[in-house]
Each structure stands twice: as C-alpha cells, then as structure tokens.
C-alpha cells in the first residue's frame, strides 16, 4: 500500500500538467488573472485553428537539450491535438486532448504518418518512464504554444 501511494504521488508530482484519465492523456494549464485582452490574444494565437493545434516541431534547444540527447520520436514527429479554452471569471483553463504525433520527416518511409500520444506515453495504465524522462520538454512545448506576451501600455 505504501509503495502504491509513493508511485501515485510521484506520478502526480511529475505530471502536473499532463493528466491520465481512462488511458487517455490530456494536457491542462490553468492561467490566473487573465484580462479580456489577454484572453482575446490567447484565442487568436497562430498555434491553433478552430479547436485544433497546428502540428509544430518540438523545440528541444529551448530547454537546453542537444539533438543527440532527444528521443528520436520527438525529432521525427510534430505534436498536434484538439484544444479547448474554458473561462471562469479571471481564470482560463487550456485543455489539449486527442494528442497525436504526426510525421515531420518525409525521408523516413518506415514511420507511420500519425501515432496516438498514448501509444508512447502510457504503459500498463501509468505514464511510461520514457514519457516521464521527456516530460519537461513536452510541457515546455505546450506552454510555448499558448504564451501570450503581456505588456503595460502605460509606460
């Protein structure tokens, strides 16, 4: 029982923005103190169109990784999925679901064009070690897609 609690606690800490529900992975981010103009800018970002994330390569250099240290899967595929924005008062929840890898290198003929994220991230109903080892990079990827630069116009 103690071991089960430790495993659950570790996964909960390591996967704060990624959630596992019925073997489906979702990414969730809660933004606090979002103004109307920030919300409008968030909805107009180029990273998504009509509820779908545009396939974008993962920027491993942004988290200080070198190409040789990145899992080949993350180099060969872009991430895409469905995105939903929920607003409650001055908070916004960004929810990315139905996450897929889509091939970004045409030269690799043996790779599938599209692969479910869960096929790589989930093993036996838990996040896989490979996923947990790359979670920082994947979190950074999704966070960067929804960055809204704020500035004070009264400077």
């Amino acid at each position: 029982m103690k071991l089960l609690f430790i495993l659950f606690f570790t996964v909960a800490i390591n996967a704060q923005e990624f959630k596992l529900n019925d073997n489906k992975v979702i990414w969730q981010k809660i933004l606090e103190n979002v103004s109307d103009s920030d919300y409008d800018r968030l909805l107009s970002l180029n990273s998504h169109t009509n509820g779908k994330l545009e396939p974008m390569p993962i920027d491993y250099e942004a988290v200080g990784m070198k190409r040789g240290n990145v899992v080949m899967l993350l180099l060969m595929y872009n991430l895409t999925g469905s995105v939903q924005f929920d607003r409650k008062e001055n908070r916004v929840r960004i929810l990315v679901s139905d996450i897929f890898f889509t091939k970004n290198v045409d030269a690799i003929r043996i790779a599938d064009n599209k692969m479910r994220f869960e096929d790589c991230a989930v093993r036996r109903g838990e996040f896989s070690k490979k996923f947990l080892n790359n979670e920082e990079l994947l979190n950074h990827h999704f966070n960067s897609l929804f960055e809204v630069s704020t500035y004070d116009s009264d400077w």
Side-chain angles (χ1 to χ4, degrees), residues 43-138:
L43 294 178
S44 66
L45 289 173
N46 291 333
S47 61
H48 57 87
T49 309
N50 296 326
K52 292 287 183 193
L53 281 180
E54 296 296 323
M56 303 199 56
I58 297 168
D59 185 8
Y60 55 88
E61 292 173 333
V63 293
M65 293 181 77
K66 295 185 180 185
R67 184 177 177 86
N69 296 338
V70 178
V71 175
M72 187 62 76
L73 175 76
L74 301 181
L75 296 173
M76 294 174 14
Y77 287 85
N78 295 328
L79 279 174
T80 186
S82 300
V83 63
Q84 173 183 333
F85 299 93
D86 298 317
R87 188 166 190 195
K88 190 185 285 187
E89 297 171 11
N90 63 344
R91 298 181 334 159
V92 174
R93 179 178 68 172
I94 305 168
L95 188 66
V96 178
S97 59
D98 299 322
I99 305 169
F100 280 90
F101 288 105
T102 58
K103 188 169 69 169
N104 68 5
V105 180
D106 290 330
I108 301 174
R109 301 277 184 226
I110 59 170
D112 293 333
N113 287 334
K114 191 174 179 182
M115 187 172 21
R116 288 178 350 121
F117 189 79
E118 288 83 6
D119 291 344
C120 304
V122 179
R123 294 287 181 260
R124 295 183 194 104
E126 299 178 344
F127 286 116
S128 68
K129 287 182 183 179
K130 184 186 293 186
F131 168 79
L132 292 174
N133 290 338
N134 292 285
E135 182 204 356
E136 178 186 0
L137 177 58
L138 294 166

